[in-house]
Amino acid sequence: VAAQNCRKRKLNAILHLEEDVCNLQTQKESLKKEHSQCSRSISRMKQKLNNLYHDIFSRLRDDQGRPVNPCQYIIHCSSDGSVFLIPKHLGNSEQRQDNEKEQKQKS
């Protein structure tokens, strides 16, 4: 009787594990689909941002009326909603400072 009960418990455990595996496989497939959708959405947003960036730079002019070179400048948006055009060499150091501030705030 003890051996029979042991086998029954073992079979029940195996059945529960098989159910868990099946549920996890379903969850994995669902997460794969969600990941794929998120990746596509991110790609679309990146493309829209890139288009917007090029549209903005196509309309910008310097003091002499010449087009602003997007290779030399970056667009900086501050937290208060202000938008600035900054030379890339200054923008990189400013971005590093902003990142350092964010890191300190998180700590």
Side-chain angles (χ1 to χ4, degrees):
V1 173
Q4 191 175 13
N5 289 340
C6 183
R7 283 190 294 272
K8 193 181 279 190
R9 281 194 305 273
K10 189 174 182 178
L11 285 175
N12 283 337
I14 290 171
L15 287 175
H16 288 293
L17 289 173
E18 287 174 347
E19 287 176 10
D20 289 346
V21 167
C22 195
N23 290 337
L24 289 171
Q25 286 173 337
T26 303
Q27 185 179 5
K28 179 182 174 184
E29 290 303 315
S30 176
L31 290 171
K32 277 185 178 180
K33 287 178 186 177
E34 184 179 348
H35 179 267
S36 178
Q37 289 172 345
C38 289
S39 294
R40 284 193 302 271
S41 180
I42 288 171
S43 293
R44 284 192 302 269
M45 283 188 249
K46 283 181 179 179
Q47 185 60 45
K48 285 181 180 181
L49 181 61
N50 192 32
N51 292 344
L52 179 61
Y53 189 81
H54 286 293
D55 186 43
I56 289 170
F57 270 102
S58 72
R59 297 168 190 237
L60 290 175
R61 300 286 182 254
D62 65 9
D63 295 337
Q64 287 80 36
R66 296 176 295 195
V68 175
N69 187 349
C71 296
Q72 296 174 349
Y73 293 92
I74 60 170
I75 298 171
H76 178 76
C77 302
S78 64
S79 58
D80 67 356
S82 301
V83 179
F84 301 99
L85 194 61
I86 301 173
K88 278 197 175 178
H89 68 279
L90 295 176
N92 290 337
S93 63
E94 188 172 310
Q95 284 177 342
R96 273 189 241 114
Q97 289 172 354
D98 287 347
N99 289 341
E100 289 171 7
K101 286 179 187 176
E102 287 178 14
Q103 293 286 333
K104 288 178 184 177
Q105 288 176 352
K106 289 179 182 177
S107 299

